[in-house]
């Protein structure tokens, strides 16, 4: 089975960006959601984007963002994909895909098989769905270290590409890939020493664990 692609989300410093690149992650995520401890404003993301240019994929994470913020972030960081982590509909995903000419990833919160089935509606509108854990009402939409029942997506064969997120750590990611066959894994809090504080050693360990399988 091919090695899963790796995304390290919530990168906000040059040192942790470099750590992700050294560890041969495929993508980093920049969070453009002000309530998150991993938030980066577009002007700050510009220097990170320039540092990453040509070295790693740059995914911008947005939560029900307006077009103005999206345009500012895409321009500042030179994003290579848009990740929608709010209540964005298939119509909204398709609109943004057309407007910005970038791949669109749609995160879906999962607790039941019905949640997984929602992915089918995004066929033709998004390029990838990211199955993530559902967080409690009133909390952040991700990055809380929660996981879900991986059997719900084991071997998922849907109409578009997919990835797995939610509570993935260096200690469990190999098992997660083995059980689900996920072609992409995404971690944020799983490689942090405190909320929003990425740990370079944990980033390296996570990437090594994925490849060791």
């Amino acid at each position: 089975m091919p090695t899963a692609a790796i995304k390290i989300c919530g990168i906000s410093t040059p040192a942790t960006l470099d750590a992700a690149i050294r560890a041969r992650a495929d993508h980093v995520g920049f969070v453009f959601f002000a309530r998150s401890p991993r938030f980066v404003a577009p002007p700050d993301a510009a220097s990170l984007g320039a540092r990453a240019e040509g070295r790693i994929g740059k995914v911008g994470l947005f939560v029900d963002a307006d077009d103005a913020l999206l345009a500012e972030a895409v321009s500042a960081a030179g994003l290579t994909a848009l990740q929608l982590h709010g209540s964005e509909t298939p119509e909204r995903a398709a609109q943004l895909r057309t407007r910005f000419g970038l791949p669109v990833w749609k995160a879906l919160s999962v607790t039941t098989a019905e949640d997984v089935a929602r992915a089918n509606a995004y066929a033709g509108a998004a390029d990838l769905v990211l199955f993530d854990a559902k967080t409690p009402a009133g909390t952040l939409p991700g990055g809380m270290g929660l996981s879900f029942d991986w059997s719900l997506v084991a071997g998922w064969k849907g109409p578009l590409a997919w990835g797995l997120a939610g509570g993935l750590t260096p200690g469990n990611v190999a098992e997660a890939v083995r059980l689900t066959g996920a072609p992409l894994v995404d971690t944020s809090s799983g490689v942090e020493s405190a909320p929003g504080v990425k740990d370079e050693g944990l980033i390296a360990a996570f990437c090594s664990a994925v490849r060791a399988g």
Side-chain angles (χ1 to χ4, degrees):
M1 187 171 65
T3 302
I6 301 167
K7 174 171 169 269
I8 308 295
C9 198
I11 292 292
S12 58
T13 67
T16 54
L17 171 61
D18 290 348
I21 293 169
R22 278 197 309 273
R24 294 183 293 123
D26 299 278
H27 309 275
V28 289
F30 301 138
V31 177
F32 297 100
F33 180 54
R35 285 176 49 207
S36 171
R38 303 162 189 93
F39 172 67
V40 288
D44 298 321
S47 60
L48 293 171
R51 193 179 188 93
E53 185 65 31
R55 304 168 74 197
I56 195 167
K58 298 177 286 183
V59 181
L61 186 151
F62 303 90
V63 179
D64 299 314
D66 60 27
D67 285 13
L69 173 59
L70 283 150
E72 185 182 7
V74 167
S75 175
L79 298 178
T80 56
L82 308 176
Q83 180 176 324
L84 309 180
H85 221 293
S87 58
E88 300 89 358
T89 62
E91 292 75 20
R92 176 63 169 160
Q95 176 192 49
L96 295 176
R97 191 185 190 201
T98 298
R99 170 164 183 179
F100 293 104
L102 293 173
V104 169
W105 299 11
K106 179 66 182 91
L108 297 175
S109 299
V110 174
T111 54
T112 67
E114 288 73 23
D115 294 328
V116 176
R118 289 176 53 223
N120 295 322
Y122 288 87
D127 298 270
L128 178 146
V129 287
L130 189 65
F131 295 119
D132 200 354
K134 188 170 288 186
T135 57
T139 63
L140 295 174
M144 297 185 65
L146 303 175
S147 60
F148 65 93
D149 179 0
W150 295 328
S151 70
L152 292 170
V153 296
W156 190 70
K157 301 293 184 188
L160 67 173
W162 69 285
L164 180 67
L168 297 177
T169 69
N172 69 12
V173 69
E175 180 187 12
V177 173
R178 180 179 62 80
L179 290 174
T180 66
L184 177 144
V185 288
D186 186 340
T187 188
S188 186
S189 62
V191 291
E192 291 180 345
S193 57
V197 182
K198 291 288 181 289
D199 183 293
E200 295 177 36
L202 291 176
I203 291 172
F206 185 89
C207 294
S208 293
V210 173
R211 295 196 177 90

